[in-house]
Amino acid sequence: MSRKADSTTPKIDRRVRRTRDALGDALLALIQEKPFDAITVPDVLDRADIGRSTFYAHYRDKDDLFLSDLEEFFEKMSTLLLRYKDASNRVAPVRELFAHVAEMRQLHSALIASGKMRDFQEMGQEYFARAIEQRLADLPASRPMSPAQRAAMAHAFAGALLSLLSWWIHHGATPSPDEMDKLFHQMVGSGG
């Protein structure tokens, strides 16, 4: 869950962006070092070298910081194909998501250990379902569907995506992200 902003992120004051990035990066680093429940706001402040009043100007507590960071990650990841106007029939950036998770395996293990995977999965399903629904609306094969059918299918595909990700992680992150992308989109193709 890299904190780096890209050119499609809505413009936020650079100082605010740097502060949020520093706080998010500090929390992510701490999550990989010790249990989430053992992390305190002062730990995050020390790691980020940010003052207490600045932290509370942006976040209520460490949970708010974590959820904000997670939300930013899922917003960027789930809409990747839409933002880059991908011309393929892919409905989700599976390859990109799996490759990112592979790079962040230590963080993923820490999220499981800290009990934060539920937040990850619930928020991920919500964001991916919305983005998949938008992609389906743009694909000729699914245009005849009613909006309710498209929404239901998108929700199911998002759940399948996260379930497939979980399976993949528990099986040593093999096959490759490319192969998992192909597998997911074969499932989508046979179900849609």
Side-chain angles (χ1 to χ4, degrees), residues 17-158:
R17 172 58 46 213
R18 277 195 301 268
T19 298
R20 290 181 182 178
D21 286 349
L23 290 167
D25 289 345
L27 180 62
L28 293 177
L30 288 165
I31 288 172
Q32 295 177 72
E33 295 172 11
K34 59 184 175 178
F36 187 82
D37 290 340
I39 298 169
T40 64
V41 169
D43 292 338
V44 175
L45 298 177
D46 288 344
R47 179 66 60 99
D49 195 25
I50 302 264
R52 187 173 190 81
S53 61
T54 301
F55 176 89
Y56 288 109
H58 297 278
Y59 304 103
R60 289 184 307 277
D61 53 27
K62 70 179 180 181
D63 287 299
D64 188 31
L65 170 60
F66 173 76
L67 292 173
S68 175
D69 200 48
L70 195 58
E71 186 173 31
E72 184 178 318
F73 168 73
F74 278 125
E75 176 63 30
K76 287 179 181 177
M77 183 59 72
S78 69
T79 61
L80 198 66
L81 299 178
L82 296 163
R83 288 183 293 119
Y84 292 116
K85 296 177 182 17
D86 183 90
S88 72
N89 286 333
R90 295 168 65 213
V91 298
V94 178
R95 174 180 51 251
E96 296 84 349
L97 174 63
F98 281 50
H100 184 77
V101 169
E103 291 173 11
M104 305 295 287
R105 288 195 71 180
Q106 183 181 355
L107 176 59
H108 181 267
S109 297
L111 290 175
I112 290 172
S114 68
K116 290 297 185 185
M117 274 311 290
R118 182 181 179 114
D119 291 331
F120 179 90
Q121 290 177 320
E122 287 177 1
M123 191 178 288
Q125 177 139 4
E126 175 186 328
Y127 275 86
F128 277 105
R130 267 198 311 265
I132 290 170
E133 186 176 355
Q134 288 178 319
R135 278 294 280 182
L136 288 173
D138 291 341
L139 296 176
S142 58
R143 282 192 191 129
M145 290 180 195
S146 73
Q149 288 173 318
R150 223 179 351 260
M153 192 168 280
H155 187 78
F157 289 157

